[in-house]
Every structure is written in structure tokens, then in C-alpha cells.
């Protein structure tokens, strides 16, 4: 499929750019073509040639939009590319017009160079288009790189956790907390239960058959982290529905991120089926909440009500804030005491991301 799509793009591109010059010389004799380097002659393209070129470009644009994962973005890209070509074409015409109106220099080399900008058959238009589009691509790449780097290095909150600790076993929780808090400078230690599950049905419909928005497809792909909690996550903003009581005991309920639920086509009252360790759990969507992933705190798209997942085998994850000077001491104290617990340095992860970008 990918090779066929690439072949289609290549064919349409070649067709769109070849039809115009081929149509322009259709009526010329062969001798005129052979003298093209020294004699300018053209029969001009016909209307049907122009229509064929327009049709080829239109089909190329439609293929680009239809095969894109984000069609809205692709549509704006096609419009931007067309506008850029028009702007640089006008710029080339302006350069030729200015060169034509300037007085002739006395120096023969300058006079010849200036005349070659606007002579018949001059490559001025092609050169301006090539340089203009090329520089535009470089500028866009630079802007994207700068925006991504700022997202990582500048827009993050000041109090980002220093560590994520994963694979904490239930019997290690209290001992882990005592060990971590014994290190001077450790603050804001937070832990939550953690399981893995795969979304298999959305309101009774198999997940593979539902049209899911591109921006949230990652929620359905593969196993997803999930947890259970009696209280709402710290800083959570409930935008639809209500949170369950702390002593809730009843049928499975789940809280979803509002953006993710919209992309999945779910609302409060719909059902979500998740496969957890081979068992299918059907939960009703009780509420939707706005999630701020940029806090680097512990966030889950799926938060279940207590009463069911506690019985499933699971571990805990935790975050800790600590000064840079105490990071090594905290990591050493935890990993020496609990070899099975992995410590992930957030600072190192951000630095790696910045280098990759």
C-alpha cells in the first residue's frame, strides 16, 4: 500500500509538471525544437492542456488530503503550498519587471546579466520559485524545532518531579516511603496503584471499528496505564458528570480525560470495555476531567472507582521532588534497598528529548 501510494504521488507530480511544457510544444515542428537553444518559438498551450494541468494538480491535492492522518492539517498545507507558489511567482515577475525598467549599465558584464533576468526564456521564474520554496522549508523546519524545544525547556512548570519510581510492589510501599523520606530534601512524595489494560470496546462497539480522532489514537493502541482511586487526582477539573463517593461500592465506574473521551466518541453514561490481565471489565463512564499533561505529575487517562481492580495483581508508581544536590542520594538509597524498583530521572529524560529535537 505504501509503495502504491508513493508511485501514485510520483506519477501525479510528473504528470502535473510535464503536461504544460509538452502541450506548449505539441504543434511545433521538430526543427524548431532542435533550434530551441538559439531560437525562441512556441505554439502555446491549448485550453484543454491548461485544464489537464489543473486537473492533475487538483487530483494530487485531493490524494494528499485523503491519505493524510490529519486531513485538516493536510488541507492547510496544500493551501499554504499553493499560496507560496503564487507569492514567489509574483516576486519573480516583479524582479523581471524591475530589471526591464532599470537603465543599462556601462559595464558589459553587468548589462548582460541584467538583460538575462528578463530576456525571453530566462530561468528567473524557476530560480525564484526554487530558492523561495527551499528557504520556506528551511524556515518552517527551524520554527518547528524551536517550538518543540520551547515546549520541553521553557513551558514546563517550575516544580517538575525529580524522579519517577516504578515497579513498587504492594508489600514495599510503606518501607519505600520511609526510605525515600529519610533522605534530606525529599518533598512531595506521591504514589498511586498502576495496572495495564487494553481498550477493546467503546460503548459496546469493537474499538477497531470505531472512527477515532487522530490526536487520541494512542489511547487505543496497545496496553494503556490505568489506576483506581477514591478521590479525584490532585488538580483534576471535572468538566462533565460527578466523581463517585469515597466509600463507593457498586458496578465498575471509570473517569476519562475529556479530550481523550471526545476523540474516542464517548460521553458520560457510555460504557468502556478494558481487558485487564485477560479479564474483560465493562465500566460506565461516570465523569470527564481535563488533564494537564505538562505538569509531569502522575496522570492517567483511565481512573477506575475502587472495588474491583484492587484484587488484580498490580504495582505502584511514585514521584518525588528533591533538590539536584540530593538526587544521587535518593536514587542510591531507593535502588540499594529495593533492587526491583526502577528510578527514572525526569531531568535526564528532558535533556535527552531536547538533544533529540
Amino acid at each position: 500500500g505504501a509503495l502504491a501510494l508513493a508511485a501514485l504521488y510520483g506519477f501525479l507530480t510528473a504528470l502535473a509538471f510535464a503536461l504544460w511544457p509538452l502541450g506548449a510544444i505539441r504543434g511545433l515542428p521538430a526543427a524548431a525544437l532542435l533550434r530551441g537553444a538559439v531560437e525562441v518559438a512556441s505554439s502555446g498551450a491549448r485550453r484543454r492542456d491548461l485544464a489537464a494541468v489543473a486537473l492533475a494538480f487538483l487530483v494530487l491535492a485531493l490524494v494528499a488530503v485523503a491519505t493524510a492522518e490529519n486531513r485538516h492539517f493536510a488541507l492547510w498545507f496544500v493551501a499554504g503550498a499553493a499560496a507560496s507558489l503564487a507569492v514567489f511567482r509574483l516576486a519573480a515577475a516583479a524582479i523581471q519587471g524591475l530589471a526591464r525598467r532599470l537603465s543599462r549599465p556601462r559595464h558589459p558584464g553587468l548589462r548582460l546579466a541584467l538583460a538575462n533576468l528578463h530576456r525571453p526564456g530566462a530561468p528567473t521564474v524557476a530560480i525564484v520559485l526554487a530558492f523561495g520554496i527551499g528557504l520556506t522549508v528551511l524556515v518552517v523546519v527551524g520554527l518547528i524545532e524551536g517550538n518543540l524545544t520551547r515546549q520541553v525547556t521553557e513551558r514546563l512548570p517550575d516544580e517538575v518531579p525529580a524522579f519517577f519510581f516504578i515497579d513498587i510492589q504492594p508489600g514495599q510501599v510503606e518501607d519505600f516511603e520511609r526510605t525515600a523520606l529519610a533522605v534530606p530534601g525529599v518533598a512531595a512524595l506521591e504514589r498511586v496503584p498502576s495496572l495495564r489494560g487494553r481498550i477493546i470496546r467503546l460503548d459496546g462497539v469493537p474499538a477497531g471499528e470505531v472512527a477515532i480522532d487522530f490526536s487520541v489514537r494512542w489511547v487505543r493502541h496497545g496496553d494503556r496505564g490505568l489506576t483506581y482511586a477514591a478521590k479525584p487526582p490532585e488538580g483534576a477539573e471535572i468538566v462533565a458528570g460527578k466523581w463517585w463517593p469515597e466509600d463507593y461500592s457498586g458496578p465498575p465506574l471509570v473517569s476519562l480525560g475529556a479530550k481523550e473521551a471526545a476523540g474516542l466518541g464517548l460521553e458520560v453514561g457510555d460504557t468502556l470495555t478494558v481487558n485487564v490481565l485477560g479479564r474483560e471489565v465493562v465500566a460506565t463512564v461516570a465523569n470527564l476531567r481535563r488533564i494537564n499533561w505538562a505538569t509531569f505529575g502522575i496522570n492517567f487517562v483511565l481512573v477506575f472507582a475502587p472495588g474491583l481492580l484492587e484484587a488484580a495483581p498490580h504495582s505502584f508508581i511514585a514521584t518525588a521532588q528533591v533538590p539536584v544536590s540530593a538526587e544521587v542520594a535518593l536514587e542510591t538509597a531507593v535502588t540499594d534497598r529495593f533492587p526491583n524498583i526502577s528510578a527514572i530521572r525526569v531531568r535526564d529524560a528532558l535533556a535527552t528529548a531536547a538533544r533529540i529535537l
Side-chain angles (χ1 to χ4, degrees), residues 62-205:
L62 290 176
V63 170
V65 174
T67 58
E69 291 185 328
N70 189 330
R71 294 182 179 178
H72 181 75
F73 180 87
L75 187 62
W76 276 104
F77 174 85
V78 170
S84 298
L85 287 171
V87 168
F88 291 122
R89 180 63 183 85
L90 292 175
I95 292 174
Q96 289 183 312
L98 181 62
R100 190 178 294 110
R101 287 171 174 76
L102 288 176
S103 60
R104 295 185 176 183
R106 293 183 179 181
H107 192 281
L110 291 177
R111 186 167 61 251
L112 184 61
L114 194 63
N116 276 330
L117 289 177
H118 60 82
R119 65 172 173 79
T124 306
V125 173
I127 291 174
V128 171
L129 284 173
F131 271 105
I133 295 297
L135 289 174
T136 300
V137 171
L138 291 177
V139 170
V140 169
V141 171
L143 287 173
I144 293 174
E145 187 273 339
N147 288 338
L148 291 174
T149 301
R150 280 192 295 273
Q151 289 281 349
V152 173
T153 59
E154 296 179 10
R155 296 188 59 183
L156 294 177
D158 296 331
E159 297 182 355
V160 172
F163 283 100
F164 270 80
F165 295 100
I166 62 175
D167 294 331
I168 306 170
Q169 299 304 308
Q172 298 175 323
V173 170
E174 295 182 1
D175 198 5
F176 162 79
E177 290 187 347
R178 284 194 298 267
T179 302
L181 293 174
V183 178
V186 175
L189 187 66
E190 180 185 0
R191 64 169 173 83
V192 296
S194 175
L195 300 87
R196 307 292 294 180
R198 181 189 295 267
I199 296 175
I200 58 175
R201 281 191 290 275
L202 301 170
D203 205 25
V205 181

Side-chain angles (χ1 to χ4, degrees), residues 18 24 35 51 106 109 114 119 123 136 140 180 184 204 214 219 246 268 277 291 308 314 356:
R35 296 195 300 269
R106 293 183 179 181
L114 194 63
R119 65 172 173 79
T136 300
V140 169
F214 170 75
V219 177
E246 292 186 24
V268 173
L277 299 175
I291 303 175
L308 177 64
H314 62 277
I356 291 173

